[in-house]
Amino acid sequence: MFMSYRQPSPERIQEAVDLALASGMLMADTHASFTHAPFTAFPSAYPRAAYNKALAVAIDFNQLITRVAMDHDFLARITHDIASADPFTAKLFNSYLETRPADRALPPGLGLFRSDYLLQASAATSGDWSNALRQVEINTISSAFGALSSRLSELHHYLAARHGNIDSQVLPSNPAQSGMVDALASAWRHYGEADAVILFVIQADERNIFDQRHMEHMLWTRHGIAVVRRTLAQLSEHACLSADSHRLRIENQEVALVYFRAGYTPSDYDDERAWQGRVLLERSMAIKCPTLAMQLCGTKKMQQCLAEPGVLEQFLDDQQQCQRLRSCFAGLYRLDDRKAVDRALMNPENYVLKPQREGGGNNLYGQDMRRALAAMDKSKFPGWILMEYIRPPRSSNFLIRDGQCSAEIPTVSELGIFSMCLNQGDTLLENRALGHLLRTKPETEKEGGIVARAAVLDSPCLVD
Ligand code: ADP
Ligand code: MG
């Protein structure tokens, strides 16, 4: 699992940085100026068996999430529980209840998910890494970095072929961006209104803006579909529904599909009008990516509940499919599992405590986790889960940020698999994997975000 690279020369670093900039692999920094997204100088080794398994289970997870999102009683039971301890989830849940149509069928829903994995090194039995794949979480809303990840894969591929330091055949192609764009176009076509637009729901101060702009541009060049971008608060004023049919209109344009790149974190709703905007969108007959129900399926608590004995079987008939999914679960525990909590208090280094939040920086480790567990009131338990700590195999790489390359450092990598599913009721019209994101971070870093500057973009070099 170890690739050995030499420190790249200043000339090679400059070449890589120039190409990253030229390809549009960009992010905004805090001062309204721009830099390339951080990336590794070279691809990192990744076991082929684990990569293939992660691709294969994507369609199983899609099926599972679709079914759970359709099961009102199950969704309501789990989410009601979380809502009792977490006001943000409570608001999402209330919006879901408020907008469930009593008198008409639900419009189709589009899932653009990213399931993230770390390898539990100690679980790789006799060199079989497919047993070591552990899901960190599944993102069911605003799965980011498809467009930038496709660019990094092309960059690594080019540098490998050009300089001959790696066999470019072992670098898998990564059509994440075109896959996501085609998925949006597919849902748009399903709506069936040639003049309708796609609405991107965005954050006002998005730093990962180019990841979205590339998709927007490709929707136009490849499919002739126009995109309109608005924040939730803007929508409460500029959007409306037709009285008879719930068609969604923004400034006289009909919206076929609402694609959320916001709406997953409390700060997206600082303004009370943002909740009004969300409810308006959900109530409309536009296709949502995702629906509120799908979003609620991505909570950490849902992940923990789905991992409990017998739960997968409630949604999937195929035993082998359940087995495949279950083999990707890390240990997941509720906080009223006293034995698990005691184990975490005794050995905090083997666990992580997670709240119902998305977007990084919320998890508690080590002594922070211990203190929080010891002090937590029982009424808050449903707002958190306890998870087995995953220790991936160590690799090494050079991290390039703001044009500067680090010395060689020990690293670990987290693989994300993008997937799409389009459903009409419980029928899956389309269901496939789209591409990948490999994020690599210093071995000592706990969090995994790129925008938060913990990790950098990477690409896998598949090894047997
Ligand atoms: P978020 O919704 O904030 O992205 P995650 O569950 O993805 O929440 O956790 C954030 C980061 O924390 C991950 O990208 C990963 O690097 C690290 N992490 C999460 N769970 C674990 C775990 N069980 N073991 C080790 N690291 C973890
Ligand atoms: Mg995450």
Side-chain angles (χ1 to χ4, degrees):
M1 278 297 293
F2 211 73
M3 308 279 296
S4 179
Y5 299 115
R6 274 185 298 158
Q7 176 87 35
S9 67
E11 191 186 339
R12 286 283 166 82
I13 296 165
Q14 191 62 53
E15 180 189 18
V17 169
D18 289 346
L19 289 169
L21 292 167
S23 74
M25 203 179 87
L26 301 172
M27 283 177 24
D29 70 20
T30 41
H31 313 293
S33 62
F34 314 106
T35 178
H36 64 84
F39 61 102
T40 56
F42 303 103
S44 291
Y46 200 88
R48 186 189 301 276
Y51 176 84
N52 286 341
K53 181 173 177 184
L55 272 186
V57 293
I59 55 175
D60 300 322
F61 275 115
N62 287 347
Q63 203 165 11
L64 176 66
I65 299 288
T66 306
R67 299 238 169 112
V68 176
M70 295 298 299
D71 187 335
H72 171 72
D73 291 344
F74 182 85
L75 185 69
R77 182 157 49 80
I78 308 295
T79 314
H80 182 265
D81 203 24
I82 312 170
S84 68
D86 179 54
F88 178 62
T89 309
K91 280 267 211 179
L92 288 172
F93 182 51
N94 288 338
S95 306
Y96 159 76
L97 291 177
E98 200 183 318
T99 52
R100 271 187 87 216
D103 53 346
R104 64 199 162 88
L106 279 173
L110 175 67
L112 271 184
F113 304 149
R114 200 189 71 222
S115 183
D116 292 336
Y117 303 92
L118 289 168
L119 295 168
Q120 182 67 290
S122 59
T125 40
S126 41
D128 183 359
W129 284 95
S130 65
N131 292 328
L133 192 72
R134 295 287 179 276
Q135 186 180 55
V136 173
E137 64 159 345
I138 183 160
N139 300 284
T140 58
I141 181 168
S142 193
S143 306
F145 285 104
L148 298 195
S149 179
S150 287
R151 282 172 174 68
L152 192 267
S153 292
E154 280 175 22
L155 173 59
H156 274 173
H157 204 277
Y158 167 79
L159 292 173
R162 170 78 180 75
H163 299 299
N165 49 6
I166 310 164
D167 174 5
S168 56
Q169 299 297 315
V170 294
L171 306 182
S173 68
N174 185 16
Q177 176 183 323
S178 56
M180 290 173 83
V181 165
D182 291 351
L184 293 172
S186 205
W188 177 89
R189 267 193 296 278
H190 193 79
Y191 185 86
E193 197 58 60
D195 295 329
V197 297
I198 296 181
L199 168 66
F200 278 27
V201 180
I202 52 162
Q203 296 178 331
D205 52 357
E206 177 66 68
R207 289 181 54 205
N208 194 16
I209 178 95
F210 302 102
D211 193 50
Q212 302 173 7
R213 288 289 191 193
H214 285 304
M215 292 175 69
E216 181 182 336
H217 182 241
M218 195 184 238
L219 275 164
W220 179 259
T221 52
R222 198 162 153 123
H223 299 284
I225 303 172
V227 167
V228 171
R229 302 164 57 84
R230 295 285 184 280
T231 65
L232 281 170
Q234 286 171 337
L235 285 166
S236 71
E237 289 173 8
H238 297 147
C240 62
L241 299 188
S242 65
D244 50 336
S245 58
H246 288 77
R247 283 176 189 268
L248 176 65
R249 302 185 80 81
I250 301 174
E251 292 143 22
N252 276 331
Q253 285 175 299
E254 182 164 353
V255 176
L257 170 67
V258 185
Y259 173 47
F260 287 93
R261 292 295 292 250
Y264 53 85
T265 188
S267 60
D268 292 343
Y269 300 88
D270 273 349
D271 186 332
E272 188 56 31
R273 289 173 309 166
W275 285 110
Q276 295 163 14
R278 184 74 200 259
V279 164
L280 183 93
L281 299 180
E282 195 68 20
R283 201 167 262 147
S284 78
M285 66 170 277
I287 299 178
K288 264 77 66 182
C289 177
T291 62
L292 266 166
M294 283 180 191
Q295 178 176 354
L296 290 169
C297 290
T299 58
K300 312 283 191 280
K301 185 71 187 170
M302 181 63 80
Q303 181 186 11
Q304 179 262 307
C305 288
L306 290 172
E308 289 186 341
V311 178
L312 290 180
E313 286 77 4
Q314 292 175 30
F315 296 99
L316 304 168
D317 299 329
D318 181 344
Q319 287 301 313
Q320 284 184 339
Q321 194 179 20
C322 294
Q323 181 46 37
R324 261 197 312 274
L325 287 172
R326 193 162 281 125
S327 69
C328 303
F329 294 156
L332 292 155
Y333 310 95
R334 37 175 82 230
L335 292 205
D336 46 21
D337 179 342
R338 197 58 233 176
K339 284 190 183 148
V341 171
D342 284 345
R343 286 198 304 274
L345 290 169
M346 295 273 287
N347 297 102
E349 68 285 2
N350 291 339
Y351 295 86
V352 40
L353 182 62
K354 297 185 171 188
Q356 306 306 314
R357 283 290 173 277
E358 299 300 323
N362 303 299
N363 299 340
L364 297 178
Y365 302 86
Q367 292 310 321
D368 294 338
M369 173 182 76
R370 208 180 215 166
R371 269 192 295 276
L373 277 178
M376 197 177 299
D377 187 80
K378 236 179 151 156
S379 65
K380 295 285 171 210
F381 284 2
W384 297 78
I385 65 160
L386 194 60
M387 187 173 183
E388 167 194 356
Y389 192 79
I390 310 164
R391 279 196 185 74
R394 179 208 277 178
S395 190
S396 79
N397 215 316
F398 305 85
L399 312 189
I400 303 181
R401 299 177 191 276
D402 298 322
Q404 306 293 318
C405 185
S406 75
E408 184 170 20
I409 55 162
T411 54
V412 293
S413 299
E414 181 169 346
L415 178 71
I417 298 292
F418 294 99
S419 66
M420 73 80 73
C421 51
L422 178 65
N423 77 291
Q424 172 102 62
D426 46 19
T427 308
L428 268 179
L429 305 171
E430 294 179 44
N431 177 9
R432 56 183 177 271
L434 304 174
H436 60 259
L437 165 72
L438 193 71
R439 287 177 296 174
T440 289
K441 59 183 183 176
E443 190 191 16
T444 49
E445 182 64 61
K446 293 270 192 263
E447 279 297 324
I450 292 177
V451 179
R453 298 185 75 85
V456 307
L457 291 171
D458 194 354
S459 74
C461 171
L462 300 182
V463 294
D464 291 303

